[in-house]
Amino acid sequence: MTRENLMSQFRGLFPAAITPLTADGKVYEKGLRQYLEFNIQAGVHGFWLAGGTGESVLLDDEDNRRVAGIAADQNGGRIVNIMHVGAATTARACALAEHAADVGCESICAVPPFFYTPSDDQVVEHYKAVGAAAGLPLFLYNLPAATNVDLTPAVVQRLRDEVPQLQGLKHSSPNFGNARVFAEMGLDCFIGSATLMLPALTVGCCGLVDGPPAFAPELWLNVWQAYQAGDLRSAEAAQRRALDVYGLFTSDYLATMKYIVGLRIGLDLGGPKETRNTLTDEAKAELRSRVEALNLEAVTPA
């Protein structure tokens, strides 16, 4: 994939990938590969790897590196991987960014430095360093509910002007209106909520990054394809249908994601890295029943 082709590929459905884990909390390679392949075969345009849904902040750096390497290998140039390298320190983020480039990821993304709320100048310097470390297209990850840092239009404008690698961002802030502002800056702005895919497309967003579509990618691909064809009525119907899936994720998000994706592909993908999120047998039975009621096509395990 040439750089010119790559730069045109940041469009469409990019599931926020889970990180399947073994019983001892390590990356489950077979599960990750099969899960990614299921989505590739469904027609997704790329992946957002090791973000919030992928539990990167709970994994050690070696496990995050394994995710990057496995995903780049499984992709084989067929789709675009955006690997999350965000960390609380610039040095760690830069090291993960360098590794992502070395193993063949097409792009990187990163939350701003968190915990100690940084100044705007510190955010800019952080992203300058991370972008330079990889030399790849860079996406900001605007997730203020988790980072306590909201990337405002003023800060993003500075980043656009001062970080040459900046390609776009995932916008997961409650301020939906800023999505249009970012798009009008010439940035590739992915909306970060699957409930808002269609309205986001109408204000200039380039696509969707969220976890739930990884369970039923075909439903959100229907939204994308209808909108691209100019069939707004079909796109609206597809968005409503997709929301039936989104309704599964009412609590214990990470545990629910792994369980229902596992149901879809026929593998036990483990639980969250931290055991505080667990599903009882009763909860699993209810989820299985609700998944079956969605009447999705069966998947033959690889």
Side-chain angles (χ1 to χ4, degrees):
M1 186 180 293
T2 68
R3 181 170 177 80
E4 286 186 358
N5 288 336
L6 171 62
M7 300 303 276
S8 69
Q9 293 300 310
F10 298 114
R11 301 286 187 279
L13 179 62
F14 280 58
I18 60 171
T19 302
L21 299 174
T22 59
D24 60 355
K26 294 300 181 181
V27 176
Y28 177 27
E29 181 171 348
K30 177 182 176 181
L32 180 56
R33 287 183 180 276
Q34 189 163 314
Y35 158 68
L36 296 176
E37 189 62 30
F38 160 60
N39 276 272
I40 292 170
Q41 293 301 317
V44 304
H45 304 94
F47 293 103
W48 185 271
L49 298 160
T53 299
E55 304 175 85
S56 65
V57 296
L58 302 179
L59 304 177
D60 61 33
D61 289 353
E62 184 54 38
D63 280 333
N64 279 305
R65 291 186 181 99
R66 286 203 69 211
V67 170
I70 292 167
D73 181 67
Q74 190 68 27
N75 165 12
R78 294 176 293 168
I79 50 86
V80 175
N81 283 321
I82 304 176
M83 179 66 194
H84 181 246
V85 300
T89 68
T90 301
R92 284 182 62 207
C94 286
L96 290 170
E98 290 175 4
H99 178 268
D102 289 345
V103 298
C105 290
E106 288 79 9
S107 179
I108 59 169
C109 60
V111 291
F114 50 90
F115 193 83
Y116 298 105
T117 306
S119 67
D120 290 352
D121 287 344
Q122 289 170 324
V123 169
V124 172
E125 292 305 312
H126 176 83
Y127 278 119
K128 280 183 180 179
V130 174
L136 296 173
L138 168 67
F139 283 80
L140 315 174
Y141 190 177
N142 193 23
L143 188 63
T147 64
N148 200 34
V149 180
D150 195 0
L151 298 174
T152 64
V155 173
V156 173
Q157 181 67 52
R158 282 191 61 187
L159 291 166
R160 197 199 69 153
D161 294 342
E162 299 182 38
V163 182
Q165 298 82 13
L166 184 61
Q167 178 73 20
L169 72 160
K170 175 188 176 185
H171 185 52
S172 297
S173 167
N175 192 334
F176 176 77
N178 282 346
R180 179 176 181 176
V181 177
F182 297 140
E184 289 177 347
M185 289 181 189
L187 296 172
D188 290 333
C189 181
F190 288 97
I191 198 65
S193 173
T195 64
L196 297 174
M197 183 178 188
L198 181 57
L201 293 176
T202 68
V203 298
C205 285
C206 65
L208 167 69
V209 172
D210 202 2
F215 157 63
E218 63 269 43
L219 299 185
W220 275 273
L221 285 167
N222 288 341
V223 180
W224 172 258
Q225 291 159 359
Y227 185 77
Q228 295 305 306
D231 186 350
L232 187 58
R233 180 168 295 182
S234 293
E236 290 171 344
Q239 178 74 80
R240 288 193 297 271
R241 166 69 167 136
L243 293 181
D244 291 339
V245 168
Y246 203 86
L248 295 169
F249 301 91
T250 56
S251 62
D252 292 334
Y253 169 70
L254 293 173
T256 300
M257 267 296 296
K258 291 187 176 183
Y259 181 69
I260 65 174
V261 172
L263 287 178
R264 193 85 199 277
I265 68 173
L267 280 181
D268 182 353
L269 301 180
K273 180 70 172 180
E274 299 293 328
T275 58
R276 62 178 178 272
N277 291 326
T278 58
L279 292 176
T280 65
D281 289 342
E282 181 179 338
K284 289 179 180 179
E286 181 181 353
L287 277 172
R288 180 184 288 272
S289 176
R290 293 179 65 191
V291 168
E292 290 171 351
L294 293 170
N295 295 317
L296 299 169
E297 290 185 11
V299 175
T300 302

